[in-house]
Amino acid sequence: MKVLIVGLGSIAKKHISAINQVIVNCEIFALRSSINSEKIEGVFDLYTVEECQNVRFDFIVISNPTSEHYNVIKELSKLKVPLFIEKPLFSEVTTDTDDLVRSINKLGIVTYVACNLRFLESLRFLKEIIKDERINEVNVYCGSYLPDWRPSLDFRKVYSANVEMGGGVHIDLIHELDYVYWLFGRPNNTVSNFSNKSSLAISANDYANYLWEYEEYNISIILNYFRRIAKRELEVVTDQHVFKVDLLKNSVVRDNEKIFNSDRRIIDTYQSQMRFFIEDIVLNKNVMNDINEANEILKLCMQE
C-alpha cells in the first residue's frame, strides 16, 4: 500500500506507527510545506499536489492543524482516494464547509474522521451492557492540564491554546461529544456554554459545558484544560444501576463493583482504529463516522 500523510506532528506519528503495525512494507509519503522541513526516516517527501497526482495512493491521512483542513481536503479531493481525517473535521462551520462536504459526497470519496475513543474497550462494553436499561441521566467529564500535554513546548503557542489556529477545549476534546453521539444518538435539543476564564490566560476556550436533551433523559458534558489531576469519566444512571466508565483506566464499575477492566489504554486504540479503517472502510466500503456524521457532530460541538 501507498499512503500520503499531510502534517507530521505528534498525532501524525501515532497514525504512522499504527499504519506500520497494520500494513507490512507500507510506503509512506508526506506532503510537506517546505523543502526545509525536518526529514522523517522512512517517509518520502512531496511538496505539491501535482507531485502527489503522480503516485497512486491507497488513502490519505490528513493530520495537519485543524484550521488548514478545509483547504487541504478541497485540494486533495482531486486525487479521489479515501480520506482519513484527524478530528475535528474543520475549525468552523460555514456555508463553504457544507458545500465541501456535498462536493466530497458527489465525488463518491470514501471518508472517515478519526475519533478513536469508539475503539476503547470499556466504552464498547458499556454500549452493549446498557442496551436494555432505562436511562435517567448521563454525566460526562473530561479535564486535564494543557501545559502537561506537550511539556517540551510553550503551551500558549500550540494550536490548542489559540482561537485563530482553530483551538479550544470544545473542539480539541470533541472526542467526548463524538462518543456520546455514538452511544446515545443525536440529541433533540442542546444548550452550551464556553469560556476562557482560567489562569491559563489563553485566547481559546478552556472550559465548555454542554447539556444535551433527549426524550427520556439529559446528558451533561463538561470539558476543561485546567485540571492538574486528569479525570476522564462517563456515568450512566439507569432505573436499576449506576454505571461508571473510567476512560483513563479502561474500566467499568456497576454499583461500586468492577465488572470490566483492561490493561490496554487509549494509545492502543490508534492501531485498532487504523485496522478498522483499512480493512472495513477502505477495502470493504463500510461506513462509520464519515464526513457527513462528523460534520453533524461538529455543528453540535460549535453550537452556542
Side-chain angles (χ1 to χ4, degrees):
M1 277 190 159
K2 291 182 172 65
V3 178
L4 177 66
I5 308 280
V6 184
L8 280 178
S10 59
I11 190 66
K13 290 171 184 175
K14 291 177 183 176
H15 293 319
I16 290 173
S17 175
I19 290 169
N20 286 327
Q21 290 176 69
V22 175
I23 309 172
V24 178
N25 299 323
C26 183
E27 293 182 57
I28 298 177
F29 297 75
L31 179 57
R32 312 304 301 272
S33 58
S34 168
I35 197 168
N36 298 317
S37 298
E38 176 189 2
K39 305 297 180 185
I40 305 295
E41 185 177 356
V43 176
F44 304 98
D45 290 343
L46 301 173
Y47 299 97
T48 66
V49 174
E50 287 70 31
E51 281 184 278
C52 295
Q53 290 175 325
N54 295 325
V55 183
R56 192 181 186 87
F57 294 111
D58 291 278
F59 64 90
I60 298 170
V61 175
I62 296 174
S63 54
N64 57 341
T66 307
S67 58
E68 299 175 20
H69 279 193
Y70 173 82
N71 290 329
V72 167
I73 293 170
K74 187 175 182 179
E75 279 298 302
L76 292 179
S77 65
K78 298 173 183 176
L79 303 185
K80 297 182 181 179
V81 299
L83 300 177
F84 177 109
I85 305 166
E86 179 55 35
K87 64 82 189 168
L89 178 58
F90 303 118
S91 60
E92 57 184 351
V93 175
T94 66
T95 302
D96 287 341
T97 58
D98 281 344
D99 286 345
L100 181 55
V101 169
R102 282 189 287 270
S103 174
I104 295 294
N105 288 326
K106 189 174 182 179
L107 290 169
I109 296 173
V110 172
T111 58
Y112 168 75
V113 177
C115 278
N116 54 296
L117 290 185
R118 296 189 185 200
F119 296 88
L120 189 67
E121 295 159 308
S122 52
L123 288 177
R124 290 188 159 227
F125 178 85
L126 180 82
K127 186 178 176 70
E128 291 302 313
I129 204 169
I130 64 172
K131 276 184 175 179
D132 298 323
E133 295 277 343
R134 201 290 185 187
I135 298 171
N136 290 315
E137 176 189 10
V138 179
N139 298 296
V140 174
Y141 186 98
C142 183
S144 59
Y145 193 52
L146 182 60
D148 289 343
W149 285 25
R150 304 172 184 88
S152 62
L153 301 175
D154 180 348
F155 75 92
R156 291 188 176 88
K157 294 182 179 178
V158 301
Y159 91 93
S160 298
N162 292 278
V163 66
E164 64 275 10
M165 295 172 68
V169 72
H170 62 308
I171 200 165
D172 224 356
L173 298 179
I174 196 173
H175 282 298
E176 317 308 304
L177 278 68
D178 177 81
Y179 82 65
V180 168
Y181 188 101
W182 173 61
L183 288 171
F184 304 103
R186 194 187 194 288
N188 297 329
N189 188 45
T190 67
V191 179
S192 55
N193 177 49
F194 309 138
S195 67
N196 60 347
K197 299 178 181 179
S198 81
S199 57
L200 292 176
I202 60 177
S203 65
N205 296 320
D206 57 23
Y207 175 85
N209 189 331
Y210 295 88
L211 179 65
W212 284 12
E213 299 178 17
Y214 293 77
E215 185 175 347
E216 296 182 333
Y217 54 89
N218 293 325
I219 299 180
S220 169
I221 306 169
I222 294 177
L223 314 171
N224 73 63
Y225 274 155
F226 47 74
R227 183 185 174 95
R228 285 182 176 268
I229 299 174
K231 176 181 174 181
R232 200 166 199 177
E233 293 182 348
L234 162 66
E235 180 185 66
V236 181
V237 180
T238 73
D239 272 350
Q240 302 297 323
H241 303 288
V242 175
F243 298 90
K244 181 178 285 187
V245 181
D246 187 323
L247 281 71
L248 299 179
K249 294 180 180 178
N250 202 9
S251 64
V252 182
V253 170
R254 179 177 59 200
D255 303 336
N256 297 320
E257 178 186 354
K258 187 175 289 186
I259 59 173
F260 177 85
N261 188 66
S262 172
D263 291 333
R264 292 171 63 82
R265 293 296 178 258
I266 290 173
I267 187 66
D268 298 312
T269 62
Y270 287 91
Q271 182 181 348
S272 302
Q273 173 180 244
M274 189 59 68
R275 184 178 301 280
F276 178 87
F277 172 71
I278 294 169
E279 295 179 357
D280 289 70
I281 296 180
V282 174
L283 297 180
N284 289 309
K285 309 304 180 189
N286 291 324
V287 177
M288 185 175 82
N289 205 31
D290 65 0
I291 199 169
N292 301 293
E293 184 172 328
N295 195 42
E296 180 67 28
I297 295 168
L298 181 63
K299 289 178 179 180
L300 291 169
C301 168
M302 304 293 278
Q303 221 167 50
E304 293 191 59

